[in-house]
Amino acid sequence: MTVAAPTLTKVPNYINGRWAESRAGEWIDVTNPATGETIAQTPLSDAAEVDAAVAAAAAAFPEWRRTPPEDRIQPLFRLKQLLEDHVDELSRIITQENGKTFTEAKAEFRRAIENVEVACGTPMMMQGYNLEDVARGIDEMMIRQPLGVVAAIVPFNFPGMIPFWFLPYAIATGNTFVLKPSERVPLTMRRTFELLDQTGLPKGVVNLVNGGKAVVNALLDHPKVRAISFVGSTPVAKYVYARAGANGKRAQCQGGAKNHVIVLPDADMQMATQIINDSAFGCAGQRCLAVSVAVTIGEAQKTFRDSITEAAASLKVGNGLEQGVQMGPVISPQSKSRVESLIAVGEKQGAKILLDGRNSKIPKYESGNFVKPTILDDVPATSELADTEIFGPVLSLIHANDMDEALAFLERSPYGNQASLFTSSGAAARRFRYEAPAGNIGINIGVAAPMAYFPFSGWKDSFFGILHGQGRDSIEFYTEEKVVIERWAKEHSRKF
Ligand code: NAD
């Protein structure tokens, strides 16, 4: 077992089964968003370090691919147990580097573990199909084979869960893997890779390279990397998709979001308020499935506006490691000022501020990046703000006369990650499910996050590619289909 130094330190890379300090000339501070303290430093590793990781993964591939799928999933069973045993410790690390509350971090890690569990079904999920006698005495089959070296590039907002949309499926299907975490939150994966190191995976099967754009470009350009999984903002997702494509790699790139919820007057208003409150302000609004715009219809305008304002105002904001805290800070001072300036833009464009979370100071945590829940009413549907991803604890309210108008508003949005409806009408729910232009749909659900055995969908500018992360889509993404047609002469079988 090799263990990375657990104290305030330079975050190492994990290449070919060994921890190694990066030779990077440039390092960036990892900061606790609640306290402002520097807790580590991430190296901005270079192309040579990426090359070493890819070379290790490429060297491990021939033997790993020949390892029976049943044997390939055994380290994942061990990993599941190790993650269960360390879930509190891992969740504390997430809170310290990302800012979300300990409860949110734990819920996040459950989704990571769920993906490990699902990938353990790979011997079933990876099967192809066949047909005897496609012509007399001729049989045909489709088999799935791994690609080789594959890589994932992930964002800051789910440091524990998002790498697991990819890693377990990639290796269970026989690929070898390189991960680049977000440079802002490298510590969760550092600890996770220490656990991976204890699972008995052969060296080189999983590798970790910390860094930023240079690492991403080196992965995108490396001839031995066959597939790229990306999650992050839309401009970078588009860039990664284009460059991976130009280099002949397959790619799945999840981008940003601006999620809408429609609230009908027949909704259970108490339930809708509680759930939408959690969706909009949980994780300080830094979830790609956070509700960002609530479109109210008819009387819901007044009832929902009043109830959500009261609920949001009562949320306890603070350091997510403290008991009773319901919402933490945003990731960085830059993010705090971006969110606050977007609130000002909304006000300038005609929105009324019902709840203003700007300039928040939390006692004992004056250096934290806190923005309290903010609600903007009457945001003009055609304003720039209505289409801009804020990625902070800000909910915009818009009123529509009917479902046609509300759906037209969703249609105009450049994003399509999630759309939700709150209603007690089955007919309205069916229409919404049928027509809403988004990949993840919630009916009386605030965060419609697909379980690991469903694809994490996403449409429009929220996703570039065909096959999504998680479940069966992952198996398809990480394998190539091979079709074999066979004929054996009768005389040959008579010989034996
Ligand atoms: P980001 O795009 O800034 O960074 C994502 C990754 O790309 C990081 O690893 C980063 O190092 C790298 N990167 C950043 N800029 C780059 C560049 N110019 N060239 C190459 N690589 C670059 O995203 P973020 O701020 O870490 O995460 C927040 C964003 O991610 C939000 O837009 C959110 O909606 C989105 N997100 C989407 C999903 C989804 O499922 N669709 C899930 C989570 C987060």
mmCIF file of all heavy atoms in Angstrom, residues 153-158 162 165 180-184 211-213 216-217 230-234 236 239-240 254-257 288 389 391 417 456 462, ligand 1:
data_model
loop_
_atom_site.group_PDB
_atom_site.id
_atom_site.type_symbol
_atom_site.label_atom_id
_atom_site.label_comp_id
_atom_site.label_asym_id
_atom_site.label_seq_id
_atom_site.Cartn_x
_atom_site.Cartn_y
_atom_site.Cartn_z
ATOM 1 N N ILE A 153 -12.259 14.079 -17.443
ATOM 2 C CA ILE A 153 -11.912 15.429 -16.961
ATOM 3 C C ILE A 153 -13.163 15.928 -16.237
ATOM 4 O O ILE A 153 -14.252 15.949 -16.832
ATOM 5 C CB ILE A 153 -11.582 16.338 -18.167
ATOM 6 C CG1 ILE A 153 -10.383 15.765 -18.938
ATOM 7 C CG2 ILE A 153 -11.345 17.775 -17.732
ATOM 8 C CD1 ILE A 153 -10.400 16.079 -20.416
ATOM 9 N N VAL A 154 -13.025 16.297 -14.979
ATOM 10 C CA VAL A 154 -14.223 16.526 -14.170
ATOM 11 C C VAL A 154 -14.214 17.894 -13.471
ATOM 12 O O VAL A 154 -13.155 18.507 -13.325
ATOM 13 C CB VAL A 154 -14.393 15.365 -13.140
ATOM 14 C CG1 VAL A 154 -14.709 14.068 -13.866
ATOM 15 C CG2 VAL A 154 -13.145 15.203 -12.280
ATOM 16 N N PRO A 155 -15.403 18.363 -13.025
ATOM 17 C CA PRO A 155 -15.527 19.717 -12.462
ATOM 18 C C PRO A 155 -15.374 19.747 -10.933
ATOM 19 O O PRO A 155 -15.174 18.709 -10.298
ATOM 20 C CB PRO A 155 -16.952 20.096 -12.853
ATOM 21 C CG PRO A 155 -17.694 18.806 -12.766
ATOM 22 C CD PRO A 155 -16.722 17.718 -13.149
ATOM 23 N N PHE A 156 -15.549 20.947 -10.362
ATOM 24 C CA PHE A 156 -15.334 21.111 -8.914
ATOM 25 C C PHE A 156 -16.550 20.747 -8.077
ATOM 26 O O PHE A 156 -16.436 20.533 -6.874
ATOM 27 C CB PHE A 156 -14.927 22.564 -8.610
ATOM 28 C CG PHE A 156 -16.106 23.514 -8.538
ATOM 29 C CD1 PHE A 156 -16.844 23.636 -7.377
ATOM 30 C CD2 PHE A 156 -16.490 24.259 -9.648
ATOM 31 C CE1 PHE A 156 -17.950 24.489 -7.316
ATOM 32 C CE2 PHE A 156 -17.583 25.104 -9.599
ATOM 33 C CZ PHE A 156 -18.316 25.214 -8.428
ATOM 34 N N ASN A 157 -17.754 20.702 -8.683
ATOM 35 C CA ASN A 157 -18.941 20.739 -7.817
ATOM 36 C C ASN A 157 -19.335 19.400 -7.208
ATOM 37 O O ASN A 157 -20.062 19.379 -6.218
ATOM 38 C CB ASN A 157 -20.126 21.407 -8.541
ATOM 39 C CG ASN A 157 -20.599 20.629 -9.738
ATOM 40 O OD1 ASN A 157 -19.822 19.927 -10.371
ATOM 41 N ND2 ASN A 157 -21.868 20.740 -10.048
ATOM 42 N N PHE A 158 -18.880 18.281 -7.789
ATOM 43 C CA PHE A 158 -19.084 16.975 -7.158
ATOM 44 C C PHE A 158 -17.762 16.214 -7.186
ATOM 45 O O PHE A 158 -17.574 15.290 -7.977
ATOM 46 C CB PHE A 158 -20.198 16.190 -7.878
ATOM 47 C CG PHE A 158 -21.576 16.666 -7.529
ATOM 48 C CD1 PHE A 158 -22.217 17.617 -8.307
ATOM 49 C CD2 PHE A 158 -22.239 16.180 -6.408
ATOM 50 C CE1 PHE A 158 -23.483 18.085 -7.980
ATOM 51 C CE2 PHE A 158 -23.504 16.640 -6.074
ATOM 52 C CZ PHE A 158 -24.128 17.588 -6.856
ATOM 53 N N ILE A 162 -18.736 12.616 -9.454
ATOM 54 C CA ILE A 162 -18.633 12.645 -10.924
ATOM 55 C C ILE A 162 -17.526 11.731 -11.469
ATOM 56 O O ILE A 162 -17.757 11.036 -12.462
ATOM 57 C CB ILE A 162 -18.567 14.095 -11.449
ATOM 58 C CG1 ILE A 162 -19.940 14.747 -11.197
ATOM 59 C CG2 ILE A 162 -18.218 14.143 -12.941
ATOM 60 C CD1 ILE A 162 -20.100 16.184 -11.654
ATOM 61 N N TRP A 165 -18.956 8.436 -12.299
ATOM 62 C CA TRP A 165 -19.817 8.224 -13.473
ATOM 63 C C TRP A 165 -19.023 7.475 -14.559
ATOM 64 O O TRP A 165 -19.581 6.933 -15.487
ATOM 65 C CB TRP A 165 -20.269 9.573 -14.063
ATOM 66 C CG TRP A 165 -21.312 10.296 -13.266
ATOM 67 C CD1 TRP A 165 -21.999 9.831 -12.188
ATOM 68 C CD2 TRP A 165 -21.789 11.621 -13.501
ATOM 69 N NE1 TRP A 165 -22.870 10.790 -11.736
ATOM 70 C CE2 TRP A 165 -22.758 11.896 -12.526
ATOM 71 C CE3 TRP A 165 -21.483 12.604 -14.440
ATOM 72 C CZ2 TRP A 165 -23.437 13.112 -12.455
ATOM 73 C CZ3 TRP A 165 -22.158 13.820 -14.372
ATOM 74 C CH2 TRP A 165 -23.126 14.074 -13.394
ATOM 75 N N LYS A 180 -8.404 13.361 -14.573
ATOM 76 C CA LYS A 180 -7.935 14.702 -14.201
ATOM 77 C C LYS A 180 -9.032 15.382 -13.387
ATOM 78 O O LYS A 180 -10.042 15.817 -13.925
ATOM 79 C CB LYS A 180 -7.614 15.567 -15.416
ATOM 80 C CG LYS A 180 -6.859 16.820 -14.950
ATOM 81 C CD LYS A 180 -7.066 18.025 -15.827
ATOM 82 C CE LYS A 180 -8.297 18.827 -15.545
ATOM 83 N NZ LYS A 180 -8.324 19.546 -14.265
ATOM 84 N N PRO A 181 -8.849 15.471 -12.053
ATOM 85 C CA PRO A 181 -9.856 16.159 -11.232
ATOM 86 C C PRO A 181 -9.805 17.660 -11.465
ATOM 87 O O PRO A 181 -8.875 18.168 -12.090
ATOM 88 C CB PRO A 181 -9.426 15.847 -9.794
ATOM 89 C CG PRO A 181 -8.306 14.873 -9.884
ATOM 90 C CD PRO A 181 -7.721 14.978 -11.257
ATOM 91 N N SER A 182 -10.778 18.360 -10.905
ATOM 92 C CA SER A 182 -10.718 19.827 -10.928
ATOM 93 C C SER A 182 -9.565 20.266 -10.036
ATOM 94 O O SER A 182 -9.396 19.775 -8.916
ATOM 95 C CB SER A 182 -12.028 20.411 -10.386
ATOM 96 O OG SER A 182 -11.830 21.771 -10.067
ATOM 97 N N GLU A 183 -8.784 21.202 -10.548
ATOM 98 C CA GLU A 183 -7.637 21.691 -9.775
ATOM 99 C C GLU A 183 -8.070 22.381 -8.488
ATOM 100 O O GLU A 183 -7.285 22.586 -7.577
ATOM 101 C CB GLU A 183 -6.761 22.629 -10.624
ATOM 102 C CG GLU A 183 -7.440 23.877 -11.175
ATOM 103 C CD GLU A 183 -8.183 23.635 -12.499
ATOM 104 O OE1 GLU A 183 -8.824 22.566 -12.654
ATOM 105 O OE2 GLU A 183 -8.144 24.530 -13.359
ATOM 106 N N ARG A 184 -9.373 22.747 -8.410
ATOM 107 C CA ARG A 184 -9.845 23.455 -7.212
ATOM 108 C C ARG A 184 -10.163 22.486 -6.070
ATOM 109 O O ARG A 184 -10.234 22.875 -4.922
ATOM 110 C CB ARG A 184 -11.079 24.287 -7.559
ATOM 111 C CG ARG A 184 -10.707 25.427 -8.490
ATOM 112 C CD ARG A 184 -11.841 26.368 -8.696
ATOM 113 N NE ARG A 184 -12.639 26.018 -9.846
ATOM 114 C CZ ARG A 184 -13.685 26.712 -10.259
ATOM 115 N NH1 ARG A 184 -14.074 27.760 -9.579
ATOM 116 N NH2 ARG A 184 -14.350 26.355 -11.321
ATOM 117 N N GLY A 211 -4.060 18.925 -12.479
ATOM 118 C CA GLY A 211 -3.646 20.056 -13.299
ATOM 119 C C GLY A 211 -4.822 20.770 -13.904
ATOM 120 O O GLY A 211 -5.972 20.596 -13.485
ATOM 121 N N GLY A 212 -4.522 21.584 -14.912
ATOM 122 C CA GLY A 212 -5.546 22.399 -15.561
ATOM 123 C C GLY A 212 -5.545 22.178 -17.058
ATOM 124 O O GLY A 212 -5.454 21.046 -17.543
ATOM 125 N N LYS A 213 -5.591 23.288 -17.779
ATOM 126 C CA LYS A 213 -5.767 23.244 -19.227
ATOM 127 C C LYS A 213 -4.671 22.434 -19.951
ATOM 128 O O LYS A 213 -4.958 21.706 -20.902
ATOM 129 C CB LYS A 213 -5.762 24.707 -19.727
ATOM 130 C CG LYS A 213 -6.212 24.832 -21.138
ATOM 131 C CD LYS A 213 -6.387 26.277 -21.551
ATOM 132 C CE LYS A 213 -6.720 26.285 -23.043
ATOM 133 N NZ LYS A 213 -7.096 27.548 -23.572
ATOM 134 N N VAL A 216 -5.470 18.851 -19.798
ATOM 135 C CA VAL A 216 -6.620 18.553 -20.669
ATOM 136 C C VAL A 216 -6.153 18.489 -22.130
ATOM 137 O O VAL A 216 -6.447 17.525 -22.850
ATOM 138 C CB VAL A 216 -7.723 19.624 -20.493
ATOM 139 C CG1 VAL A 216 -8.852 19.411 -21.498
ATOM 140 C CG2 VAL A 216 -8.263 19.595 -19.064
ATOM 141 N N ASN A 217 -5.382 19.480 -22.553
ATOM 142 C CA ASN A 217 -4.923 19.485 -23.949
ATOM 143 C C ASN A 217 -4.042 18.284 -24.257
ATOM 144 O O ASN A 217 -4.141 17.687 -25.331
ATOM 145 C CB ASN A 217 -4.172 20.787 -24.252
ATOM 146 C CG ASN A 217 -5.141 21.950 -24.394
ATOM 147 O OD1 ASN A 217 -6.333 21.749 -24.614
ATOM 148 N ND2 ASN A 217 -4.641 23.164 -24.265
ATOM 149 N N PHE A 230 -16.073 14.164 -20.308
ATOM 150 C CA PHE A 230 -15.877 15.507 -19.738
ATOM 151 C C PHE A 230 -17.151 15.952 -19.044
ATOM 152 O O PHE A 230 -18.261 15.746 -19.551
ATOM 153 C CB PHE A 230 -15.535 16.516 -20.847
ATOM 154 C CG PHE A 230 -15.490 17.929 -20.334
ATOM 155 C CD1 PHE A 230 -14.319 18.448 -19.804
ATOM 156 C CD2 PHE A 230 -16.635 18.728 -20.338
ATOM 157 C CE1 PHE A 230 -14.281 19.745 -19.293
ATOM 158 C CE2 PHE A 230 -16.604 20.021 -19.822
ATOM 159 C CZ PHE A 230 -15.426 20.532 -19.299
ATOM 160 N N VAL A 231 -17.002 16.616 -17.904
ATOM 161 C CA VAL A 231 -18.130 17.296 -17.262
ATOM 162 C C VAL A 231 -17.616 18.656 -16.800
ATOM 163 O O VAL A 231 -16.577 18.744 -16.145
ATOM 164 C CB VAL A 231 -18.676 16.503 -16.049
ATOM 165 C CG1 VAL A 231 -19.884 17.213 -15.454
ATOM 166 C CG2 VAL A 231 -19.037 15.077 -16.436
ATOM 167 N N GLY A 232 -18.360 19.713 -17.137
ATOM 168 C CA GLY A 232 -17.947 21.057 -16.734
ATOM 169 C C GLY A 232 -18.842 22.087 -17.404
ATOM 170 O O GLY A 232 -19.987 21.799 -17.769
ATOM 171 N N SER A 233 -18.312 23.275 -17.606
ATOM 172 C CA SER A 233 -19.122 24.357 -18.180
ATOM 173 C C SER A 233 -19.274 24.156 -19.698
ATOM 174 O O SER A 233 -18.457 23.480 -20.333
ATOM 175 C CB SER A 233 -18.442 25.698 -17.888
ATOM 176 O OG SER A 233 -17.134 25.676 -18.432
ATOM 177 N N THR A 234 -20.292 24.797 -20.271
ATOM 178 C CA THR A 234 -20.581 24.594 -21.695
ATOM 179 C C THR A 234 -19.450 25.044 -22.627
ATOM 180 O O THR A 234 -19.091 24.291 -23.545
ATOM 181 C CB THR A 234 -21.921 25.269 -22.060
ATOM 182 O OG1 THR A 234 -22.950 24.512 -21.413
ATOM 183 C CG2 THR A 234 -22.172 25.276 -23.561
ATOM 184 N N VAL A 236 -16.271 25.052 -22.210
ATOM 185 C CA VAL A 236 -15.168 24.082 -22.183
ATOM 186 C C VAL A 236 -15.649 22.731 -22.755
ATOM 187 O O VAL A 236 -14.911 22.053 -23.476
ATOM 188 C CB VAL A 236 -14.576 23.937 -20.758
ATOM 189 C CG1 VAL A 236 -13.361 23.023 -20.778
ATOM 190 C CG2 VAL A 236 -14.179 25.291 -20.188
ATOM 191 N N TYR A 239 -15.446 22.963 -26.453
ATOM 192 C CA TYR A 239 -14.035 22.955 -26.867
ATOM 193 C C TYR A 239 -13.470 21.531 -26.817
ATOM 194 O O TYR A 239 -12.827 21.060 -27.761
ATOM 195 C CB TYR A 239 -13.265 23.897 -25.929
ATOM 196 C CG TYR A 239 -11.779 23.743 -25.947
ATOM 197 C CD1 TYR A 239 -11.025 24.284 -26.984
ATOM 198 C CD2 TYR A 239 -11.121 23.050 -24.930
ATOM 199 C CE1 TYR A 239 -9.644 24.135 -26.994
ATOM 200 C CE2 TYR A 239 -9.748 22.897 -24.942
ATOM 201 C CZ TYR A 239 -9.012 23.438 -25.975
ATOM 202 O OH TYR A 239 -7.654 23.285 -26.002
ATOM 203 N N VAL A 240 -13.740 20.839 -25.704
ATOM 204 C CA VAL A 240 -13.215 19.478 -25.527
ATOM 205 C C VAL A 240 -13.815 18.549 -26.581
ATOM 206 O O VAL A 240 -13.110 17.731 -27.196
ATOM 207 C CB VAL A 240 -13.515 18.966 -24.092
ATOM 208 C CG1 VAL A 240 -13.249 17.470 -23.955
ATOM 209 C CG2 VAL A 240 -12.684 19.744 -23.073
ATOM 210 N N GLN A 254 -20.477 16.717 -20.955
ATOM 211 C CA GLN A 254 -21.629 17.315 -20.270
ATOM 212 C C GLN A 254 -21.290 18.755 -19.934
ATOM 213 O O GLN A 254 -20.209 19.042 -19.424
ATOM 214 C CB GLN A 254 -21.950 16.507 -19.015
ATOM 215 C CG GLN A 254 -22.254 15.064 -19.389
ATOM 216 C CD GLN A 254 -22.741 14.215 -18.252
ATOM 217 O OE1 GLN A 254 -22.509 13.020 -18.254
ATOM 218 N NE2 GLN A 254 -23.426 14.789 -17.286
ATOM 219 N N GLY A 255 -22.242 19.645 -20.227
ATOM 220 C CA GLY A 255 -21.986 21.068 -20.048
ATOM 221 C C GLY A 255 -22.837 21.702 -18.961
ATOM 222 O O GLY A 255 -23.359 21.028 -18.071
ATOM 223 N N GLY A 256 -22.988 23.000 -19.049
ATOM 224 C CA GLY A 256 -23.692 23.777 -18.030
ATOM 225 C C GLY A 256 -25.203 23.632 -18.110
ATOM 226 O O GLY A 256 -25.730 22.842 -18.899
ATOM 227 N N ALA A 257 -25.899 24.434 -17.300
ATOM 228 C CA ALA A 257 -27.344 24.243 -17.207
ATOM 229 C C ALA A 257 -28.032 25.509 -16.737
ATOM 230 O O ALA A 257 -27.395 26.402 -16.152
ATOM 231 C CB ALA A 257 -27.633 23.117 -16.222
ATOM 232 N N CYS A 288 -25.477 20.960 -11.099
ATOM 233 C CA CYS A 288 -25.887 21.145 -12.499
ATOM 234 C C CYS A 288 -27.373 20.854 -12.651
ATOM 235 O O CYS A 288 -27.958 21.171 -13.679
ATOM 236 C CB CYS A 288 -25.067 20.269 -13.419
ATOM 237 S SG CYS A 288 -25.356 18.538 -13.117
ATOM 238 N N GLU A 389 -26.362 30.909 -16.926
ATOM 239 C CA GLU A 389 -26.151 30.019 -15.785
ATOM 240 C C GLU A 389 -25.482 30.821 -14.672
ATOM 241 O O GLU A 389 -24.394 31.370 -14.861
ATOM 242 C CB GLU A 389 -25.246 28.841 -16.178
ATOM 243 C CG GLU A 389 -24.986 27.912 -15.004
ATOM 244 C CD GLU A 389 -24.132 26.687 -15.334
ATOM 245 O OE1 GLU A 389 -23.147 26.818 -16.071
ATOM 246 O OE2 GLU A 389 -24.472 25.600 -14.835
ATOM 247 N N PHE A 391 -25.060 29.575 -11.319
ATOM 248 C CA PHE A 391 -24.298 28.616 -10.521
ATOM 249 C C PHE A 391 -24.018 29.154 -9.111
ATOM 250 O O PHE A 391 -22.898 29.166 -8.624
ATOM 251 C CB PHE A 391 -22.995 28.215 -11.229
ATOM 252 C CG PHE A 391 -22.728 26.740 -11.112
ATOM 253 C CD1 PHE A 391 -23.677 25.814 -11.518
ATOM 254 C CD2 PHE A 391 -21.537 26.253 -10.561
ATOM 255 C CE1 PHE A 391 -23.455 24.448 -11.408
ATOM 256 C CE2 PHE A 391 -21.307 24.885 -10.440
ATOM 257 C CZ PHE A 391 -22.267 23.995 -10.869
ATOM 258 N N ASN A 417 -30.634 20.576 -19.445
ATOM 259 C CA ASN A 417 -30.165 19.539 -18.521
ATOM 260 C C ASN A 417 -31.330 18.912 -17.760
ATOM 261 O O ASN A 417 -31.452 17.694 -17.683
ATOM 262 C CB ASN A 417 -29.165 20.137 -17.525
ATOM 263 C CG ASN A 417 -28.019 19.186 -17.257
ATOM 264 O OD1 ASN A 417 -27.649 18.396 -18.126
ATOM 265 N ND2 ASN A 417 -27.464 19.245 -16.060
ATOM 266 N N PHE A 456 -27.151 9.530 -17.240
ATOM 267 C CA PHE A 456 -27.272 10.917 -16.800
ATOM 268 C C PHE A 456 -27.435 11.736 -18.074
ATOM 269 O O PHE A 456 -26.478 12.098 -18.732
ATOM 270 C CB PHE A 456 -26.036 11.362 -16.021
ATOM 271 C CG PHE A 456 -26.284 12.617 -15.261
ATOM 272 C CD1 PHE A 456 -26.495 12.584 -13.896
ATOM 273 C CD2 PHE A 456 -26.352 13.840 -15.907
ATOM 274 C CE1 PHE A 456 -26.755 13.756 -13.192
ATOM 275 C CE2 PHE A 456 -26.620 15.006 -15.222
ATOM 276 C CZ PHE A 456 -26.811 14.962 -13.854
ATOM 277 N N SER A 462 -26.333 21.475 -22.907
ATOM 278 C CA SER A 462 -25.915 20.790 -21.678
ATOM 279 C C SER A 462 -25.222 19.469 -21.977
ATOM 280 O O SER A 462 -24.759 18.795 -21.053
ATOM 281 C CB SER A 462 -27.128 20.510 -20.772
ATOM 282 O OG SER A 462 -27.730 21.724 -20.395
HETATM 283 P P1 NAD B 1 -15.083 24.149 -15.788
HETATM 284 O O1 NAD B 1 -15.589 24.015 -17.176
HETATM 285 O O2 NAD B 1 -14.438 25.417 -15.393
HETATM 286 O O3 NAD B 1 -13.996 23.005 -15.491
HETATM 287 C C1 NAD B 1 -14.253 21.642 -15.754
HETATM 288 C C2 NAD B 1 -12.933 20.936 -16.047
HETATM 289 O O4 NAD B 1 -12.369 21.492 -17.234
HETATM 290 C C3 NAD B 1 -11.901 21.099 -14.940
HETATM 291 O O5 NAD B 1 -11.233 19.881 -14.758
HETATM 292 C C4 NAD B 1 -10.964 22.176 -15.480
HETATM 293 O O6 NAD B 1 -9.644 22.006 -15.052
HETATM 294 C C5 NAD B 1 -11.060 21.995 -16.981
HETATM 295 N N1 NAD B 1 -10.951 23.266 -17.707
HETATM 296 C C6 NAD B 1 -11.406 24.484 -17.303
HETATM 297 N N2 NAD B 1 -11.165 25.398 -18.246
HETATM 298 C C7 NAD B 1 -10.546 24.768 -19.260
HETATM 299 C C8 NAD B 1 -10.053 25.186 -20.520
HETATM 300 N N3 NAD B 1 -10.148 26.461 -20.911
HETATM 301 N N4 NAD B 1 -9.472 24.265 -21.319
HETATM 302 C C9 NAD B 1 -9.385 22.973 -20.946
HETATM 303 N N5 NAD B 1 -9.832 22.527 -19.755
HETATM 304 C C10 NAD B 1 -10.403 23.406 -18.923
HETATM 305 O O7 NAD B 1 -16.299 23.783 -14.817
HETATM 306 P P2 NAD B 1 -16.378 23.941 -13.233
HETATM 307 O O8 NAD B 1 -16.446 25.384 -12.882
HETATM 308 O O9 NAD B 1 -15.350 23.085 -12.583
HETATM 309 O O10 NAD B 1 -17.792 23.236 -12.948
HETATM 310 C C11 NAD B 1 -19.008 23.926 -13.021
HETATM 311 C C12 NAD B 1 -19.684 23.708 -14.345
HETATM 312 O O11 NAD B 1 -19.877 22.324 -14.598
HETATM 313 C C13 NAD B 1 -21.061 24.325 -14.394
HETATM 314 O O12 NAD B 1 -21.243 24.943 -15.649
HETATM 315 C C14 NAD B 1 -22.000 23.131 -14.229
HETATM 316 O O13 NAD B 1 -23.277 23.297 -14.781
HETATM 317 C C15 NAD B 1 -21.230 22.085 -14.968
HETATM 318 N N6 NAD B 1 -21.639 20.743 -14.565
HETATM 319 C C16 NAD B 1 -22.399 20.030 -15.438
HETATM 320 C C17 NAD B 1 -22.826 18.765 -15.086
HETATM 321 C C18 NAD B 1 -23.684 17.957 -16.015
HETATM 322 O O14 NAD B 1 -23.965 16.825 -15.713
HETATM 323 N N7 NAD B 1 -24.124 18.500 -17.145
HETATM 324 C C19 NAD B 1 -22.475 18.228 -13.843
HETATM 325 C C20 NAD B 1 -21.694 18.991 -12.988
HETATM 326 C C21 NAD B 1 -21.273 20.255 -13.360
#
